[in-house]
Short mmCIF file of all heavy atoms in Angstrom, two decimals:
data_model
loop_
_atom_site.label_atom_id
_atom_site.label_comp_id
_atom_site.label_asym_id
_atom_site.label_seq_id
_atom_site.Cartn_x
_atom_site.Cartn_y
_atom_site.Cartn_z
N LEU A 792 106.75 70.75 95.19
CA LEU A 792 106.66 71.89 96.13
C LEU A 792 105.71 71.54 97.29
O LEU A 792 105.90 72.03 98.41
CB LEU A 792 106.20 73.10 95.36
CG LEU A 792 106.18 74.45 96.08
CD1 LEU A 792 106.54 75.55 95.13
CD2 LEU A 792 104.82 74.68 96.69
N ASP A 793 104.71 70.69 97.04
CA ASP A 793 103.74 70.47 98.12
C ASP A 793 104.20 69.70 99.25
O ASP A 793 103.50 69.47 100.21
CB ASP A 793 102.38 69.94 97.52
CG ASP A 793 102.64 68.57 96.84
OD1 ASP A 793 103.83 68.21 96.62
OD2 ASP A 793 101.66 67.93 96.50
N TYR A 794 105.47 69.27 99.25
CA TYR A 794 106.08 68.59 100.43
C TYR A 794 106.60 69.61 101.44
O TYR A 794 106.97 69.24 102.55
CB TYR A 794 107.22 67.70 99.99
CG TYR A 794 106.81 66.44 99.25
CD1 TYR A 794 107.73 65.78 98.46
CD2 TYR A 794 105.49 65.92 99.40
CE1 TYR A 794 107.37 64.59 97.80
CE2 TYR A 794 105.19 64.76 98.70
CZ TYR A 794 106.10 64.11 97.93
OH TYR A 794 105.74 62.98 97.21
N TYR A 795 106.65 70.91 101.00
CA TYR A 795 107.48 71.86 101.78
C TYR A 795 106.71 73.16 102.06
O TYR A 795 105.89 73.60 101.28
CB TYR A 795 108.72 72.21 101.03
CG TYR A 795 109.57 70.99 100.71
CD1 TYR A 795 109.59 70.48 99.40
CD2 TYR A 795 110.30 70.36 101.70
CE1 TYR A 795 110.33 69.40 99.09
CE2 TYR A 795 111.10 69.29 101.36
CZ TYR A 795 111.08 68.81 100.03
OH TYR A 795 111.84 67.66 99.77
N ALA A 796 106.94 73.79 103.20
CA ALA A 796 106.60 75.15 103.41
C ALA A 796 107.37 76.01 102.48
O ALA A 796 108.42 75.68 102.03
CB ALA A 796 106.86 75.52 104.83
N ILE A 797 106.80 77.20 102.12
CA ILE A 797 107.44 78.18 101.32
C ILE A 797 107.36 79.53 101.94
O ILE A 797 106.39 79.92 102.60
CB ILE A 797 106.77 78.26 99.91
CG1 ILE A 797 106.83 76.87 99.22
CG2 ILE A 797 107.40 79.40 99.03
CD1 ILE A 797 108.24 76.49 98.76
N GLY A 798 108.44 80.25 101.82
CA GLY A 798 108.51 81.64 102.44
C GLY A 798 108.78 82.68 101.35
O GLY A 798 109.30 82.42 100.28
N TRP A 799 108.32 83.89 101.69
CA TRP A 799 108.66 85.08 100.86
C TRP A 799 109.45 86.00 101.76
O TRP A 799 109.08 86.30 102.91
CB TRP A 799 107.36 85.74 100.39
CG TRP A 799 106.66 85.16 99.23
CD1 TRP A 799 105.63 84.33 99.29
CD2 TRP A 799 107.05 85.27 97.88
NE1 TRP A 799 105.30 83.90 97.99
CE2 TRP A 799 106.16 84.48 97.10
CE3 TRP A 799 108.08 85.98 97.19
CZ2 TRP A 799 106.20 84.43 95.73
CZ3 TRP A 799 108.09 85.87 95.80
CH2 TRP A 799 107.23 85.15 95.07
N PHE A 800 110.49 86.55 101.12
CA PHE A 800 111.30 87.51 101.77
C PHE A 800 111.52 88.71 100.87
O PHE A 800 111.26 88.62 99.71
CB PHE A 800 112.71 86.89 102.15
CG PHE A 800 112.63 85.93 103.22
CD1 PHE A 800 112.15 84.60 102.99
CD2 PHE A 800 113.04 86.21 104.50
CE1 PHE A 800 112.06 83.69 104.03
CE2 PHE A 800 112.97 85.26 105.52
CZ PHE A 800 112.53 84.00 105.27
N ARG A 801 112.04 89.76 101.38
CA ARG A 801 112.37 90.92 100.54
C ARG A 801 113.58 91.62 101.03
O ARG A 801 113.91 91.55 102.26
CB ARG A 801 111.15 91.92 100.46
CG ARG A 801 110.88 92.63 101.78
CD ARG A 801 109.59 93.47 101.60
NE ARG A 801 109.26 94.22 102.80
CZ ARG A 801 108.14 94.94 102.96
NH1 ARG A 801 107.21 94.92 101.96
NH2 ARG A 801 107.98 95.56 104.05
N GLN A 802 114.24 92.32 100.17
CA GLN A 802 115.42 93.07 100.54
C GLN A 802 115.46 94.39 99.76
O GLN A 802 115.49 94.39 98.51
CB GLN A 802 116.73 92.34 100.31
CG GLN A 802 117.97 93.04 100.86
CD GLN A 802 119.15 92.11 100.96
OE1 GLN A 802 119.20 91.08 100.30
NE2 GLN A 802 120.11 92.47 101.82
N ALA A 803 115.42 95.49 100.52
CA ALA A 803 115.43 96.80 99.94
C ALA A 803 116.91 97.29 99.90
O ALA A 803 117.75 96.79 100.66
CB ALA A 803 114.60 97.76 100.72
N PRO A 804 117.26 98.18 99.02
CA PRO A 804 118.60 98.68 98.94
C PRO A 804 119.05 99.26 100.26
O PRO A 804 118.41 100.01 100.89
CB PRO A 804 118.56 99.80 97.88
CG PRO A 804 117.34 99.43 97.04
CD PRO A 804 116.37 98.78 97.94
N GLY A 805 120.25 98.78 100.70
CA GLY A 805 120.83 99.22 101.92
C GLY A 805 120.21 98.65 103.18
O GLY A 805 120.51 99.11 104.29
N LYS A 806 119.34 97.76 103.00
CA LYS A 806 118.64 97.11 104.19
C LYS A 806 118.88 95.65 104.23
O LYS A 806 119.21 95.04 103.21
CB LYS A 806 117.14 97.47 104.15
CG LYS A 806 116.80 98.92 104.28
CD LYS A 806 115.32 99.14 104.45
CE LYS A 806 114.99 100.55 104.72
NZ LYS A 806 113.51 100.80 104.93
N GLU A 807 118.69 95.09 105.40
CA GLU A 807 118.79 93.59 105.60
C GLU A 807 117.57 92.95 104.99
O GLU A 807 116.47 93.54 104.90
CB GLU A 807 118.92 93.30 107.05
CG GLU A 807 120.23 93.79 107.60
CD GLU A 807 120.43 93.25 109.02
OE1 GLU A 807 119.56 92.56 109.59
OE2 GLU A 807 121.50 93.50 109.57
N ARG A 808 117.77 91.67 104.63
CA ARG A 808 116.64 90.86 104.10
C ARG A 808 115.61 90.76 105.25
O ARG A 808 115.90 90.54 106.41
CB ARG A 808 117.16 89.51 103.79
CG ARG A 808 116.13 88.53 103.22
CD ARG A 808 116.81 87.28 102.80
NE ARG A 808 117.57 86.64 103.86
CZ ARG A 808 118.43 85.69 103.71
NH1 ARG A 808 118.74 85.25 102.44
NH2 ARG A 808 119.12 85.13 104.73
N GLU A 809 114.33 90.78 104.83
CA GLU A 809 113.28 90.77 105.80
C GLU A 809 112.26 89.71 105.40
O GLU A 809 111.86 89.52 104.26
CB GLU A 809 112.52 92.18 105.71
CG GLU A 809 111.24 92.25 106.53
CD GLU A 809 110.51 93.50 106.19
OE1 GLU A 809 110.72 94.17 105.20
OE2 GLU A 809 109.63 93.91 107.02
N GLY A 810 111.81 88.91 106.37
CA GLY A 810 110.83 87.90 106.14
C GLY A 810 109.48 88.60 105.95
O GLY A 810 109.14 89.52 106.70
N VAL A 811 108.71 88.14 104.96
CA VAL A 811 107.42 88.75 104.65
C VAL A 811 106.25 87.81 104.99
O VAL A 811 105.31 88.20 105.65
CB VAL A 811 107.31 89.09 103.11
CG1 VAL A 811 105.95 89.64 102.78
CG2 VAL A 811 108.43 90.15 102.74
N SER A 812 106.41 86.56 104.60
CA SER A 812 105.31 85.63 104.81
C SER A 812 105.79 84.20 104.63
O SER A 812 106.83 83.91 104.04
CB SER A 812 104.14 85.92 103.82
OG SER A 812 103.02 85.05 104.14
N CYS A 813 105.00 83.27 105.20
CA CYS A 813 105.34 81.83 105.11
C CYS A 813 103.99 81.10 105.00
O CYS A 813 103.05 81.50 105.58
CB CYS A 813 106.15 81.42 106.29
SG CYS A 813 106.48 79.64 106.44
N ILE A 814 103.98 79.96 104.24
CA ILE A 814 102.82 79.16 104.17
C ILE A 814 103.22 77.72 104.37
O ILE A 814 104.27 77.29 103.84
CB ILE A 814 102.13 79.33 102.85
CG1 ILE A 814 100.76 78.67 102.84
CG2 ILE A 814 102.91 78.95 101.68
CD1 ILE A 814 99.85 79.04 101.72
N SER A 815 102.49 77.04 105.17
CA SER A 815 102.78 75.59 105.44
C SER A 815 102.56 74.78 104.21
O SER A 815 101.92 75.18 103.24
CB SER A 815 101.94 75.06 106.57
OG SER A 815 100.56 75.10 106.24
N ARG A 816 103.04 73.51 104.19
CA ARG A 816 103.01 72.73 102.96
C ARG A 816 101.60 72.40 102.50
O ARG A 816 101.33 72.27 101.31
CB ARG A 816 103.83 71.48 103.05
CG ARG A 816 103.32 70.45 104.10
CD ARG A 816 104.32 69.31 104.23
NE ARG A 816 103.87 68.26 105.13
CZ ARG A 816 103.42 67.14 104.63
NH1 ARG A 816 103.29 66.97 103.34
NH2 ARG A 816 103.03 66.19 105.43
N ARG A 817 100.63 72.37 103.37
CA ARG A 817 99.29 72.14 102.94
C ARG A 817 98.49 73.45 102.89
O ARG A 817 97.31 73.43 102.55
CB ARG A 817 98.56 71.17 103.90
CG ARG A 817 99.13 69.77 103.85
CD ARG A 817 98.21 68.80 104.60
NE ARG A 817 98.68 67.41 104.50
CZ ARG A 817 99.52 66.86 105.37
NH1 ARG A 817 99.99 67.56 106.40
NH2 ARG A 817 99.94 65.58 105.23
N GLY A 818 99.11 74.51 103.25
CA GLY A 818 98.42 75.87 103.12
C GLY A 818 97.53 76.11 104.31
O GLY A 818 96.81 77.13 104.28
N VAL A 819 97.58 75.27 105.35
CA VAL A 819 96.67 75.51 106.53
C VAL A 819 97.18 76.62 107.38
O VAL A 819 96.44 77.40 107.95
CB VAL A 819 96.60 74.21 107.30
CG1 VAL A 819 95.78 74.43 108.57
CG2 VAL A 819 95.92 73.11 106.46
N ILE A 820 98.53 76.74 107.46
CA ILE A 820 99.10 77.71 108.35
C ILE A 820 99.85 78.73 107.52
O ILE A 820 100.59 78.45 106.63
CB ILE A 820 100.15 77.06 109.32
CG1 ILE A 820 99.36 76.06 110.24
CG2 ILE A 820 100.86 78.10 110.16
CD1 ILE A 820 100.27 75.23 111.10
N SER A 821 99.62 80.03 107.80
CA SER A 821 100.38 81.11 107.25
C SER A 821 100.86 82.06 108.29
O SER A 821 100.23 82.20 109.39
CB SER A 821 99.54 81.85 106.12
OG SER A 821 98.38 82.31 106.69
N ASN A 822 101.88 82.77 107.98
CA ASN A 822 102.46 83.71 108.93
C ASN A 822 102.93 84.97 108.15
O ASN A 822 103.39 84.86 107.00
CB ASN A 822 103.72 83.08 109.61
CG ASN A 822 104.27 83.84 110.77
OD1 ASN A 822 103.60 84.75 111.27
ND2 ASN A 822 105.46 83.61 111.15
N TYR A 823 102.73 86.08 108.74
CA TYR A 823 103.01 87.39 108.10
C TYR A 823 103.83 88.25 109.00
O TYR A 823 103.61 88.34 110.23
CB TYR A 823 101.72 88.07 107.70
CG TYR A 823 100.89 87.37 106.68
CD1 TYR A 823 99.86 86.51 107.07
CD2 TYR A 823 101.14 87.56 105.33
CE1 TYR A 823 99.10 85.81 106.17
CE2 TYR A 823 100.30 86.90 104.38
CZ TYR A 823 99.32 86.03 104.83
OH TYR A 823 98.57 85.37 103.86
N ALA A 824 104.70 89.00 108.35
CA ALA A 824 105.38 90.13 109.10
C ALA A 824 104.33 91.19 109.37
O ALA A 824 103.33 91.32 108.66
CB ALA A 824 106.48 90.70 108.24
N ASP A 825 104.56 91.99 110.45
CA ASP A 825 103.63 93.05 110.75
C ASP A 825 103.45 93.96 109.60
O ASP A 825 102.35 94.48 109.39
CB ASP A 825 104.12 93.73 112.00
CG ASP A 825 103.97 93.00 113.23
OD1 ASP A 825 103.26 92.04 113.25
OD2 ASP A 825 104.64 93.37 114.31
N SER A 826 104.50 94.22 108.80
CA SER A 826 104.36 95.15 107.71
C SER A 826 103.51 94.60 106.58
O SER A 826 103.08 95.33 105.73
CB SER A 826 105.79 95.40 107.14
OG SER A 826 106.40 94.21 106.69
N ALA A 827 103.25 93.30 106.55
CA ALA A 827 102.45 92.68 105.51
C ALA A 827 100.99 92.33 105.95
O ALA A 827 100.14 92.12 105.08
CB ALA A 827 103.12 91.42 105.09
N LYS A 828 100.81 92.26 107.24
CA LYS A 828 99.45 91.91 107.71
C LYS A 828 98.34 92.79 107.19
O LYS A 828 98.52 94.06 107.28
CB LYS A 828 99.44 91.87 109.28
CG LYS A 828 100.25 90.67 109.84
CD LYS A 828 100.26 90.75 111.33
CE LYS A 828 101.05 89.58 111.92
NZ LYS A 828 101.19 89.63 113.42
N GLY A 829 97.30 92.22 106.77
CA GLY A 829 96.19 92.98 106.25
C GLY A 829 96.29 93.49 104.83
O GLY A 829 95.27 93.99 104.25
#
């Protein structure tokens, strides 16, 4: 796994899949959806 970035997504009933967060392969960079920030 440590060769790759990993993402988290979610899908609620009746809704489209939504990106939640992503982390770079070394963990230095992360990204969050506005709904997840904080």
